[in-house]
Amino acid sequence: FFFFFFFQAEDGIRDVERSRGLGDVYKRQHMEIFGIDVKKQVKTEKTMAELELALNLAYSLSQKYEEGLKFTPMYGPCLTGIENVGNTCYIASIVQVLYSLPEFVERYYDSYKKHVAECASFAPDCFMCQMCKMAYGLCSGVYSQPKKHKKIIYEGQAEEEKDKDYYYQEGIKPQMFKTYFGKGNPDFSSSQQQDASLYLTYLLDKIQTKEKLLGSSDPSRIFRFEMETKLKCLGCGGVKYKKEGYCSLKLSFELPEGSVPENTIVKMTECLDGFIKGDVVELYCEKCGKNSTFSKSQSFVNFPKVLALIMQREIMEGMMLKKLPVLFEVPVEELDIQNYKTLAHAPDEVLLGGMLALSPIDDSAALDEPEVNPTMLNDLILAGVPELAARHALTNTGNSSSELAISWFFEHMSDPSLAQPLPKVKKAGSAKFTEGNVAKVMEFGFSRDQAVFGLSNTVRLFVSYRIMTVKEL
């Protein structure tokens, strides 16, 4: 047998400090050979950890920079910041805007103390608890007080840096708010980045539904308005009208030829004019008895108190989504939106079917893109797969899994067809029918009304469904 013993030098032999383990235990004595007294050495440089911490304090907590400008942080009521819970800056941007409006402050901040004192519900499942708590966190100023950060002193630090104080505010984390409103939604329940405009519509709809159940005043009403779409057949002159409710408008703009220069100015009025003016579409005309060209224009039936405009700056360039470097000019003082209001209908207009849906009656109306799993689609986009290519991948893998779709994409990424929209397929419940179809269904003992109702699907599917659900129709 062989025994190996490892002994570390005693502290008295090495130096007065305790041994730190492996290494040169006679470091002090060895350095003295070169005329270096270890005991007299002082630290003159910061470690990487200290450098990063100092940078974060100076950059994030004390001041903000944008385009070379320095901004001083502010504190107090209605000046509270929101921390990200994952990639949730889209929630912060929307919530900060909503709670800056008097209607939301009056409804939820003014009701905070009364509701908290009287509510017997479980807070994470209570709509008013979440809305009032968010209002209190943002508007009270309790979480927006300046706090002095601990100083970091190091050798070689400039004297002015030693005397400088860094301040920050705690802010709030909307974890419970995010969980409550994201419940049941695969996109907004995740911690991934989402579209702020979609979240605005989603949140306003949720607020409207909950306030209607409570029988209370709905602050989201200030965003809502109606628009009227007018379709005029260029063949016979007949018109169709359709009214729809909105809480925001998405505006686009005409791209200049060639590349877009940095900081190109786009006027918001031009975007609105283009939206109102509309375009031409191909639809079926009842009077002409065939597909015809229609002019399409839109106008405001009424105006909201707060008009939310979403400027679309993204375009597809090949297989990649590109954000255009444009700036929008908003003429707040000179903007007159009365020019966009719906005019009275001409008395001699020939109405084609009144308020009808804007859809042609040819086979293209029965076609639609294949459905894909929205959660998997979001996973692929976050993994860097372009949206069109992601839809191809999920369709060709049967929406099995994100991993399988990504593998399929890498195997076919050189295919130029991935940059094209998916081929449309026939929608369920879109089959056309004739009087012959109606007669066939009536032979089974159904009334004409039942037959017409059921023939939004195929004859066979309707009969099968009707046999199984005799009492439902």
Side-chain angles (χ1 to χ4, degrees):
F1 296 94
F2 295 92
F3 296 93
F4 295 92
F5 298 93
F6 295 90
F7 296 96
Q8 188 169 333
E10 295 292 338
D11 287 345
I13 299 176
R14 181 172 65 86
D15 53 30
V16 295
E17 294 184 4
R18 296 184 62 183
S19 172
R20 295 184 179 179
L22 300 178
D24 187 355
V25 295
Y26 298 101
K27 184 181 294 183
R28 180 175 61 83
Q29 293 88 333
H30 290 169
M31 295 301 290
E32 287 177 352
I33 298 176
F34 301 98
I36 300 174
D37 189 347
V38 175
K39 291 185 177 181
K40 295 181 179 180
Q41 301 303 308
V42 294
K43 183 178 178 182
T44 58
E45 294 185 0
K46 291 190 290 184
T47 64
M48 287 302 298
E50 290 171 332
L51 285 170
E52 291 179 1
L53 181 57
L55 178 63
N56 289 336
L57 290 175
Y59 185 76
S60 300
L61 301 179
S62 176
Q63 55 200 15
K64 302 293 181 186
Y65 295 89
E66 181 178 341
E67 299 291 339
L69 301 176
K70 178 180 176 180
F71 297 92
T72 303
M74 302 179 70
Y75 307 94
C78 299
L79 296 172
T80 305
I82 298 179
E83 291 189 40
N84 276 353
V85 183
N87 296 320
T88 55
C89 54
Y90 67 96
I91 295 180
S93 61
I94 295 301
V95 169
Q96 289 281 20
V97 170
L98 293 182
Y99 283 98
S100 68
L101 300 172
E103 289 78 7
F104 279 80
V105 174
E106 180 182 348
R107 173 71 180 104
Y108 301 115
Y109 179 62
D110 295 350
S111 305
Y112 172 75
K113 291 184 179 179
K114 180 180 179 181
H115 179 77
V116 170
E118 298 176 354
C119 182
S121 303
F122 184 48
D125 296 331
C126 177
F127 166 76
M128 282 298 293
C129 281
Q130 296 309 312
M131 296 298 291
C132 291
K133 188 176 72 170
M134 178 62 73
Y136 180 78
L138 291 176
C139 303
S140 66
V142 173
Y143 303 97
S144 183
Q145 300 298 321
K147 292 195 172 185
K148 184 185 293 186
H149 204 280
K150 182 180 178 181
K151 289 187 177 181
I152 298 178
I153 306 296
Y154 57 92
E155 296 294 336
Q157 186 179 22
E159 290 299 325
E160 58 270 19
E161 289 293 326
K162 292 182 180 180
D163 299 332
K164 193 171 184 178
D165 293 324
Y166 293 105
Y167 293 89
Y168 69 100
Q169 61 164 268
E170 286 183 330
I172 60 174
K173 289 185 177 181
Q175 181 65 64
M176 199 176 294
F177 184 92
K178 171 185 172 296
T179 302
Y180 175 81
F181 283 101
K183 192 178 299 182
N185 187 291
D187 296 324
F188 300 129
S189 61
S190 70
S191 295
Q192 299 170 344
Q193 182 63 46
Q194 304 296 337
D195 186 83
S197 63
L198 294 179
Y199 189 72
L200 172 63
T201 303
Y202 173 81
L203 186 59
L204 292 179
D205 288 344
K206 284 279 189 180
I207 292 173
Q208 182 186 47
T209 301
K210 293 295 183 180
E211 290 291 4
K212 189 176 293 186
L213 292 175
L214 294 173
S216 304
S217 176
D218 175 19
S220 71
R221 69 187 184 281
I222 61 176
F223 287 93
R224 304 192 183 279
F225 59 97
E226 272 192 318
M227 294 203 72
E228 182 179 79
T229 301
K230 178 181 179 180
L231 292 169
K232 183 175 182 180
C233 177
L234 301 182
C236 65
V239 296
K240 292 182 180 181
Y241 290 98
K242 180 183 179 182
K243 290 183 180 180
E244 287 184 296
Y246 292 85
C247 61
S248 64
L249 282 185
K250 288 189 176 182
L251 302 181
S252 57
F253 55 92
E254 293 185 5
L255 294 174
E257 295 183 3
S259 60
V260 180
E262 188 79 18
N263 296 332
T264 299
I265 302 295
V266 176
K267 294 184 178 181
M268 191 190 72
T269 51
E270 295 178 356
C271 298
L272 269 174
D273 290 340
F275 180 83
I276 297 299
K277 183 179 179 181
D279 203 350
V280 293
V281 293
E282 292 292 327
L283 297 174
Y284 181 80
C285 178
E286 293 89 341
K287 188 175 181 181
C288 298
K290 61 179 181 179
N291 281 355
S292 182
T293 302
F294 283 73
S295 64
K296 176 184 175 183
S297 59
Q298 294 178 287
S299 55
F300 287 87
V301 176
N302 49 52
F303 295 107
K305 185 174 182 179
V306 178
L307 178 60
L309 298 177
I310 299 156
M311 317 305 289
Q312 295 181 304
R313 296 188 294 175
E314 293 81 14
I315 60 171
M316 285 299 297
E317 196 170 79
M319 296 178 62
M320 300 298 294
L321 188 66
K322 180 182 178 182
K323 187 175 182 179
L324 298 175
V326 298
L327 301 176
F328 289 96
E329 184 181 89
V330 183
V332 178
E333 297 180 357
E334 302 176 1
L335 181 62
D336 183 11
I337 59 176
Q338 291 296 328
N339 298 329
Y340 307 122
K341 189 172 178 63
T342 299
L343 300 176
H345 298 172
D348 57 345
E349 285 182 339
V350 179
L351 294 180
L352 301 177
M355 310 291 287
L356 296 179
L358 311 181
S359 57
I361 203 169
D362 61 2
D363 288 339
S364 61
L367 301 178
D368 199 1
E369 287 190 359
E371 293 185 2
V372 296
N373 185 295
T375 304
M376 295 181 186
L377 177 63
N378 190 55
D379 292 341
L380 265 66
I381 293 175
L382 290 175
V385 181
E387 183 177 351
L388 286 176
R391 290 181 178 277
H392 279 276
L394 289 169
T395 302
N396 283 279
T397 55
N399 291 291
S400 302
S401 69
S402 302
E403 294 77 10
L404 188 60
I406 291 175
S407 299
W408 186 95
F409 167 72
F410 283 115
E411 292 175 1
H412 301 81
M413 61 187 305
S414 59
D415 188 349
S417 66
L418 295 185
Q420 304 298 324
L422 284 167
K424 293 187 176 182
V425 296
K426 183 167 290 188
K427 295 186 293 186
S430 61
K432 295 187 293 183
F433 59 89
T434 64
E435 286 298 323
N437 297 137
V438 175
K440 288 181 181 179
V441 175
M442 292 177 66
E443 290 176 1
F444 287 90
F446 304 122
S447 68
R448 178 179 175 79
D449 290 339
Q450 292 173 335
V452 171
F453 172 82
L455 282 170
S456 56
N457 291 300
T458 62
V459 176
R460 183 173 297 179
L461 285 176
F462 168 69
V463 173
S464 300
Y465 167 77
R466 185 65 184 91
I467 291 173
M468 291 184 292
T469 56
V470 177
K471 297 181 180 180
E472 294 183 12
L473 187 57

